[in-house]
Amino acid sequence: MINRIFMLFYFLLMIINCKAQGDNHKKNEILENILIEQLKRGKRPTEYNNYNSGKKELEAIIPILKNELTINGFKFQTKEIFNKKVKSIFNRIILPTSETKYLYVNLIEKCQRDNIYSPNDKADVNGFFIIKENNFITDFYEIPEIYDYQKNKPQLNKYEVEKIFIKDEVENTNLEIPHWKDIPNLKEIRKKNIQTLVARNMYLFNNSRAHFRWLIVNDEYFMRSLVTTFGYTDDAELLEWVVEKINFNDTSELDKLFYNPKCDGTTQLNTAVFSALKKYITPKNKIVLEQLQKYLVKLTDLKNECTGLHFKERTELIARLSYFGELYRFKPEFEYDNYNNNYFIICIFTYDFGHKFKTEMKEKNYYGLPDFMKLYDKADKDYGEYYWKFR
């Protein structure tokens, strides 16, 4: 009886092992076939890319990427934890019942969700895929960009012998396309791509602070986008770093810092920004307060369009920003001569036709800001009459 059980168990292991070997052989065959296609077409400029089999190309690199993450110490999270993280960072919902394997996150147009099976060029194409089945994120890469094919597949060198030409319809000329082997810094490109893959996943899903520091040096656009494009403010250190990078003279950058229009038509105010600003502003860079006051004037003038910012959210931002600025007005070390002696609240009176802002703020109990009503009433008493007579 025991021998029969043992033999049955042995045969089951053999079947499982054969199946695994068969699956690996099939994956390796698919990888090699797609690699041959990519070697034949060479390293094309993005505008000449036409990935008719893009999904297959993405699927071919997933095992390579998983392996790189594993050997670099990445801990793959459970579906529940991963999905929750994706929702909190990118505001994308992963439906358990959906058969879609990959979600594309567009860093240029976040509400454009069509899959783009093309390497990023940072200008026209810049995004990444959420690999739902394996719980990680990745850019779209061609195989030579992440895999040392010359070392691991030397038998394919024969596909990089003949010159490659493509028709340039605009210039009506033949354009020579370089082979992958002729890209002078391909090894460095491959290394940087793997580092980026690992660092993004380690930071976002394993909370690695070491990889956070690597990313803010080597992947600045992506890291800024977490806050300015998607409104991710849970990481105080990231938020403080973004504040340090902002050009306070550029109101469009301030728009992205303070609020994020969502794809469903709502708007998220990034109220956590004020804590980061409080740490950033010192007497040495008090000019920031003047720049914020100019931005407040823009907000109060409803003729200035703030795309995606509705009146209710706009009024709340006006209240919070004016309250924040007022906290510095009573500190001599932050005094400056321009813009009404750094008096933030009177900026509201300048364009508050019909007391629209005041009415909205009062209805919302001044958003629970301590003593804001007293500050507002005092400003109204001292300056309100002067401004209202011009209305």
Side-chain angles (χ1 to χ4, degrees), residues 82-251:
F82 180 77
N83 294 357
K84 186 176 180 180
K85 270 283 189 178
V86 167
K87 174 65 169 64
S88 67
I89 299 169
F90 303 110
N91 197 35
R92 295 294 296 271
I93 299 174
I94 299 178
L95 299 174
T97 56
S98 173
E99 295 182 359
T100 303
K101 293 182 178 181
Y102 319 110
L103 298 181
Y104 187 75
V105 179
N106 195 322
L107 296 176
I108 299 175
E109 297 289 344
K110 68 179 178 182
C111 296
Q112 174 56 260
R113 296 180 176 180
D114 294 335
N115 290 348
I116 302 178
Y117 297 107
S118 176
N120 291 331
D121 63 7
K122 308 302 182 184
D124 299 314
V125 180
N126 197 356
F128 61 89
F129 285 91
I130 298 170
I131 311 301
K132 293 167 53 177
E133 287 186 335
N134 303 110
N135 301 338
F136 71 92
I137 66 171
T138 179
D139 287 358
F140 180 92
Y141 296 111
E142 294 193 79
I143 295 171
E145 294 179 299
I146 56 167
Y147 179 74
D148 191 347
Y149 69 97
Q150 290 173 298
K151 176 183 175 181
N152 296 308
K153 302 280 185 181
Q155 70 274 21
L156 303 185
N157 290 342
K158 60 186 178 182
Y159 295 104
E160 293 194 291
V161 176
E162 296 182 2
K163 289 188 176 183
I164 307 169
F165 293 94
I166 190 171
K167 183 73 172 181
D168 188 325
E169 300 295 342
V170 177
E171 300 293 334
N172 195 29
T173 59
N174 286 326
L175 177 69
E176 184 174 355
I177 303 298
H179 289 289
W180 283 100
K181 68 180 179 62
D182 296 325
I183 304 300
N185 59 337
L186 181 58
K187 184 177 180 180
E188 289 72 24
I189 291 172
R190 188 182 297 132
K191 179 181 177 181
K192 178 70 178 295
N193 288 338
I194 296 300
Q195 286 177 320
T196 302
L197 166 78
V198 172
R200 286 182 180 182
N201 283 281
M202 290 290 287
Y203 164 62
L204 294 175
F205 305 110
N206 285 180
N207 195 30
S208 170
R209 304 318 293 178
H211 288 90
F212 165 83
R213 285 180 277 277
W214 187 91
L215 286 165
I216 62 175
V217 173
N218 298 281
D219 199 13
E220 183 174 323
Y221 183 87
F222 175 81
M223 294 299 279
R224 282 175 62 115
S225 296
L226 296 179
V227 175
T228 59
T229 300
F230 300 101
Y232 177 62
T233 60
D234 290 353
D235 186 338
E237 189 177 359
L238 171 65
L239 194 54
E240 290 166 18
W241 173 79
V242 171
V243 165
E244 292 175 2
K245 293 289 181 179
I246 286 292
N247 177 5
F248 285 88
N249 283 317
D250 187 340
T251 56

Side-chain angles (χ1 to χ4, degrees), residues 248-249 254 280-295 333-339 342 344:
F248 285 88
N249 283 317
L254 291 174
Y280 176 66
I281 298 173
T282 66
K284 290 183 179 180
N285 66 355
K286 62 184 179 182
I287 186 66
V288 172
L289 289 169
E290 184 175 344
Q291 292 162 331
L292 288 175
Q293 194 175 24
K294 291 178 182 179
Y295 179 64
E333 66 271 27
F334 287 98
E335 287 183 0
Y336 55 90
D337 297 328
N338 299 326
Y339 267 78
N342 67 354
F344 272 65

Side-chain angles (χ1 to χ4, degrees), residues 278 326-335 342:
K278 188 175 181 181
E326 285 295 304
L327 299 180
Y328 291 89
R329 186 165 64 87
F330 306 101
K331 299 178 181 180
E333 66 271 27
F334 287 98
E335 287 183 0
N342 67 354

